[in-house]
Amino acid sequence: MVITTPYESGRDFLSPNRNLSPLSTEVDANKRLMVGGCLLSDLAQRYGTPLYVIDEITIRTACRSYRDALVSHYSGSSLPIYASKANSSIALSRIIASEGLGMDVVSAGELLTALEGGVLGEKIFLHGNNKSEEEISLAYRNRVNIVIDNRYDLERIEKIVPSGADPASIMLRFTPGIECHTHEYIRTGHLDSKFGFDLDQVKSIFKELQGVSWARLTGIHAHIGSQIFELKPHQDLAEVMADVLLMGRNFGHPIEDFNVGGGLGVRYIESDDPPSIQKWVQVVSEAVIVSISKRKLNLPRLICEPGRSLVATSGITLYELGSRKSIPGIRKYLSVDGGMSDNPRPITYQSSYSACLADYPLEVPDEIVTIAGKHCESGDVLLKDVSLPKSKSGDVLVVFCTGAYNSSMSSNYNRIPKPAAIILLSGQADLLQRREQPEDLLRYDVIPERLRELG
Ligand SMILES: *Cc1c(COP(=O)(O)O)cnc(C)c1O
């Protein structure tokens, strides 16, 4: 029998998104799992559980793969930017900045995190379908590009840019009307989407923005969705966008940036088979070059904004196994010390994950179990019916591919504090985010004066 464990599966060292586990995953002499040169069960002991763990080499490899593939396949200039909603922290921003990538942000919080991490304002793009005036103003003051999503954005930008001051640098987002096969909640490119201008509004926006002093329209943008394995929709997008570029330039706008969005999928379970970063970039670059040349335009700067495929595989979460419950003939539940508050994807999108025991990654699976979280929701299940070797309470469970949309979507449901996050490189572990304490959760509570007397 061939035993494949998450750490053996994949093994594409140039395209992290095709692996189930971080690139530095290995086993020690006692066949226990290590990542970044650190023994996982040691880390669980030292930092406590649940624990978010990030493998630095995996993130850096993904950044370089996007950058290098763009340089090899696209003859114009290019810039990969990280969609930081996938996982936002100051230290991650610093790594992304040091790799030369730009960053996508969607709130004042993400924007401040990017700036604090050292990302230059000119390399930051502010997205959002309902930006506040404060967010727009913060972006403008820091020379951040503002992606206009609707007319309300334009009204607000006009209001905050002082007369005679430098214009805001803006990029127009539109809905390209492209369908792709992904979960309904994460589709954004089809027409019934809250994001962006409709294609038939674009012309009038180009017209309205002709000659305005408060904005300079320097780019166009579309994003078709997330966790996409198909390449065809990205090719189709190039054609639609090239038409919009042509129209914009005909209206005299200095459009140089051609932002095709993100969306490349990752391998969460063995059967997932996403294209590599290199293949994705190649197909997109070639499609853009063809569409642009056909219209006899100068090649714009090609921007892509991956989130998930840059960080998902670099992350794992460590939990401690606790109570168990067997329902004969039905299911065996093993409970962990976290769940939907640190990983809301299974309950939100019915997402699947892979897992193994930190100290017995190669042991032959022995039972089918369901890994349940500790929250007061029957649906709080992280993995349903997975095979694991025999385990006992206190064992450390590793859930793979949690680097994207876990920490950033975490909550304090049931007043459960958020986990600590650490980053690993060459045998060294460093804290990236401190563990929240139960007392921290009381910090913003206020007892109204009139209730004090009741005590
Ligand atoms: C979420 C998002 C991305 C990143 O998507 P991934 O699937 O994580 O690569 C890029 N651009 C925009 C506008 C987004 O909303």
Side-chain angles (χ1 to χ4, degrees), residues 259-276:
N259 185 333
V260 297
L264 173 60
V266 305
R267 170 170 262 144
Y268 284 107
I269 53 174
E270 183 75 39
S271 59
D272 287 338
D273 191 18
S276 68

Side-chain angles (χ1 to χ4, degrees), residues 83 85-86 104 106 127 173 188 195 221 223 225-227 261-264 305-309 405:
K85 69 177 195 273
D104 234 38
V106 295
H127 275 279
R173 177 173 185 169
T188 56
F195 295 108
H221 171 278
H223 171 70
S226 203
Q227 184 60 1
L264 173 60
E305 44 184 21
R308 191 189 310 270
S309 56
Y405 305 114

Side-chain angles (χ1 to χ4, degrees), residues 83-394:
S84 68
K85 69 177 195 273
N87 195 341
S88 172
S89 66
I90 298 172
L92 276 186
S93 303
R94 200 153 277 255
I95 291 174
I96 299 290
S98 74
E99 290 295 338
L101 275 68
M103 201 162 309
D104 234 38
V105 299
V106 295
S107 66
E110 285 184 4
L111 176 49
L112 289 172
T113 307
L115 291 169
E116 190 67 28
V119 187
L120 295 176
E122 299 94 87
K123 283 188 164 186
I124 302 177
F125 295 76
L126 174 68
H127 275 279
N129 65 304
N130 194 19
K131 306 169 189 75
S132 70
E133 199 166 309
E134 180 203 355
E135 286 164 339
I136 290 178
S137 167
L138 182 67
Y140 174 70
R141 290 197 310 271
N142 287 284
R143 300 185 167 277
V144 165
N145 304 280
I146 302 170
V147 183
I148 54 164
D149 206 271
N150 49 61
R151 280 212 159 74
Y152 196 44
D153 275 347
L154 291 172
E155 283 170 30
R156 288 187 141 166
I157 294 171
E158 182 171 11
K159 198 166 125 198
I160 62 131
V161 175
S163 71
D166 286 344
S169 168
I170 63 173
M171 175 176 261
L172 181 141
R173 177 173 185 169
F174 68 96
T175 314
I178 288 169
E179 295 271 349
C180 48
H181 304 132
T182 183
H183 194 284
E184 172 140 33
Y185 300 164
I186 45 185
R187 270 194 266 160
T188 56
H190 58 314
L191 291 173
D192 182 11
S193 162
K194 70 170 180 170
F195 295 108
F197 290 97
D198 289 340
L199 257 176
D200 51 16
Q201 285 179 296
V202 168
K203 191 171 173 181
S204 59
I205 298 296
F206 282 147
K207 207 162 173 177
E208 281 169 40
L209 287 174
Q210 263 181 325
V212 302
S213 61
W214 44 270
R216 214 174 114 82
L217 181 54
T218 54
I220 53 170
H221 171 278
H223 171 70
I224 57 175
S226 203
Q227 184 60 1
I228 302 170
F229 289 3
E230 300 165 287
L231 291 167
K232 184 79 176 26
H234 298 284
Q235 280 174 310
D236 296 344
L237 178 63
E239 275 291 300
V240 182
M241 286 188 70
D243 277 336
V244 172
L245 178 68
L246 176 61
M247 191 199 297
R249 285 195 183 162
N250 283 342
F251 274 98
H253 295 296
I255 302 178
E256 266 313 308
D257 286 345
F258 195 91
N259 185 333
V260 297
L264 173 60
V266 305
R267 170 170 262 144
Y268 284 107
I269 53 174
E270 183 75 39
S271 59
D272 287 338
D273 191 18
S276 68
I277 291 171
Q278 291 76 12
K279 185 76 195 166
W280 188 91
V281 169
Q282 182 184 354
V283 166
V284 169
S285 302
E286 287 172 0
V288 172
I289 292 171
V290 167
S291 309
I292 296 294
S293 316
K294 228 175 10 191
R295 291 165 181 80
K296 306 210 171 3
L297 295 165
N298 294 331
L299 278 188
R301 174 165 76 155
L302 177 56
I303 297 182
C304 62
E305 44 184 21
R308 191 189 310 270
S309 56
L310 270 181
V311 294
T313 319
S314 71
I316 57 176
T317 306
L318 307 182
Y319 299 96
E320 186 179 296
L321 289 178
S323 65
R324 41 183 72 214
K325 173 178 180 177
S326 266
I327 310 169
I330 299 183
R331 187 159 283 122
K332 195 181 278 182
Y333 286 99
L334 303 188
S335 295
V336 293
D337 49 359
M340 60 183 283
S341 62
D342 59 79
N343 183 359
R345 292 190 68 255
I347 200 166
T348 313
Y349 308 116
Q350 294 76 50
S351 315
S352 301
Y353 281 89
S354 306
C356 76
L357 299 174
D359 283 343
Y360 316 96
L362 300 177
E363 210 102 313
V364 182
D366 173 84
E367 53 182 1
I368 307 268
V369 297
T370 286
I371 306 294
K374 63 176 282 167
H375 301 83
C376 297
E377 278 286 333
S378 305
D380 179 25
V381 159
L382 289 177
L383 293 96
K384 200 169 173 198
D385 297 334
V386 289
S387 28
L388 276 189
K390 215 170 235 13
S391 59
K392 54 185 188 310
S393 308

Side-chain angles (χ1 to χ4, degrees), residues 12-19 23 57-73 78 80 99 101 264 276-282 285 304 306 309-310:
D12 180 336
F13 287 100
L14 290 176
S15 192
N17 69 316
R18 294 193 33 81
N19 299 281
L23 299 184
I57 208 71
T58 304
I59 294 194
R60 290 193 183 273
T61 301
C63 291
R64 288 169 201 173
S65 291
Y66 269 105
R67 223 181 45 201
D68 294 349
L70 280 164
V71 170
S72 345
H73 297 292
S78 57
E99 290 295 338
L101 275 68
L264 173 60
S276 68
I277 291 171
Q278 291 76 12
K279 185 76 195 166
W280 188 91
V281 169
Q282 182 184 354
S285 302
C304 62
S309 56
L310 270 181

